[in-house]
Amino acid sequence: MEKTKVLFHVSENEVWPKALTNIQNFLKDVSDNQVEIELVANAGAVNFYYDNDKVNLHEQMSSLSSRGVKFAACRNALQAHSLKEELLPEFVQVVPGGITEIVKKQSMGFIYIKP
Amino acid sequence: MEKTKVLFHVSENEVWPKALTNIQNFLKDVSDNQVEIELVANAGAVNFYYDNDKVNLHEQMSSLSSRGVKFAACRNALQAHSLKEELLPEFVQVVPGGITEIVKKQSMGFIYIKP
Amino acid sequence: MEKTKVLFHVSENEVWPKALTNIQNFLKDVSDNQVEIELVANAGAVNFYYDNDKVNLHEQMSSLSSRGVKFAACRNALQAHSLKEELLPEFVQVVPGGITEIVKKQSMGFIYIKP
C-alpha cells in the first residue's frame, strides 16, 4: 500500500510549537512506516532552527527526525537572514528553495497542511 | 456530477470571522447540493466554539450547519485546552485528530483552504 | 510537457512581502514558460493593491505580472472594504469570489500555497 505523504509548511516562527504538536498527534493515529512526513520551513521560520532557548522543542524535532520526519530549511531564507548552514542542527536538510520544494512535493502526491 | 469538496482549516481563533465569511461567499456561487464543505478547527481555534460572546457568529455557524456545512473540532485540541465535549454547540462534531481528519479528507478529494 | 500551476493565497495584508519573495524565488528555479502562477488576494489583503506607500512592491508586482503572474482581487472583499475596482492597478484582475476562484483553480490542477 502506498504511504500517505504529508507536507507541513511553516513560514512564521510563532507557528513552530503548533506544527510540532500537529505532527506528534498525527503520528499517534498512523504507523511511522505508513507515512512520509516533511516539514518545510521558509521565510522567518528558519530562525527557529537556530534558537538555542528552544531546547525542548529541538529535542522533540530531533526525536521526530529519528522517526523519519524530514525537516527542511529554505536556502533563500537562510541567506536572507544571514544564517550559516553549518550551524544548523544536524537533523535539518537544506533545500535550495522552500516554495520550489513544496511545489515539487505536492506534485509527487504530498498533502499540504499549513499549521 | 461529483460534488466539489472543500475543507477549511482554522487553527487560530482570530481567523474565524474570515473563515465564516469565506464559506458564506462561496455558497453564493454554488448550489448547496453541489458542494460538500467541512471546517476543521484545531489548536487554539477550538476555543471559539465555546465563546458565548460570539452569538451572531454562532448563529451563522448553526445556519451554515443546517445547509450542510460540517463543523469539526479536534479532540486533541479540546483536551489540551481542558474543554468539555458535552459543552460544545450541537452543530459541532468531534474528530479524534484534526490533522488526521484533514489528511483523510484531502485523500478523499477535498480541496484545502486556509482562510 | 504540462505546465506546473501554482496558486498563492494571500488573505492578510502583512503577508504580501513574503508572498512576493516566494514568487520571485520560485521563478529563479523554473522557466517562466514552464509555470502558470496566480496569486489570489481576498479578505483584508485586497487593501494592499491600493497602498501607494508600497511603490517598490507594486513595481515588483507589475514586473511579475509582465512575466505572466496573474494577480487577482476578490470582489466580495473589495466591496466589504468599500474599494473601487476602477482604482486598482492595471495588472490586477477582479474575480467574483476569491474562494470560488481558489476552488476552481485547484480543481484545474493548481497547487495551493499559503505564504
Side-chain angles (χ1 to χ4, degrees), chain C residues 10-28:
Chain C
V10 179
S11 62
E12 294 167 76
N13 241 356
E14 302 74 45
V15 172
W16 270 102
K18 186 158 55 176
L20 296 176
T21 300
N22 283 179
I23 297 174
Q24 297 277 18
N25 283 332
F26 179 51
L27 283 172
K28 290 191 297 181

Side-chain angles (χ1 to χ4, degrees), chain A residues 28-45:
Chain A
K28 291 191 297 181
D29 293 337
V30 288
S31 305
D32 293 16
N33 61 0
Q34 288 174 341
V35 289
E36 196 176 336
I37 298 174
E38 176 169 339
L39 182 150
V40 175
N42 74 338

Side-chain angles (χ1 to χ4, degrees), chain C residues 55-67:
Chain C
V55 177
N56 289 344
L57 291 169
H58 277 207
E59 280 172 5
Q60 197 178 334
M61 290 152 85
S62 177
S63 162
L64 286 170
S65 170
S66 68
R67 292 177 65 183

Side-chain angles (χ1 to χ4, degrees), chain A residues 3 16 25 32 37 39 41 52 63 69 83 90 103 108:
Chain A
K3 288 187 182 184
W16 270 102
N25 283 332
D32 293 16
I37 298 174
L39 182 150
N52 293 318
S63 161
V69 177
L83 297 166
E90 59 179 346
V103 168
M108 291 165 64

Side-chain angles (χ1 to χ4, degrees), chain A residues 4-6 8 12 15 18 22-23 25-30 111-115, chain B residues 9 11-12 42-44 74 76-77 96-97 99-100 102-104 106-107 112 114:
Chain A
T4 300
K5 293 171 282 189
V6 185
F8 292 88
E12 293 167 75
V15 172
K18 186 158 56 174
N22 282 180
I23 296 175
N25 283 332
F26 179 50
L27 283 173
K28 291 191 297 181
D29 293 337
V30 288
I111 285 165
Y112 177 85
I113 293 181
K114 189 91 192 290
Chain B
H9 176 199
S11 62
E12 294 168 74
N42 74 338
C74 168
N76 296 314
I99 297 300
T100 304
I102 292 168
V103 168
K104 187 176 126 192
Q106 285 201 65
S107 299
Y112 177 84
K114 190 92 193 289

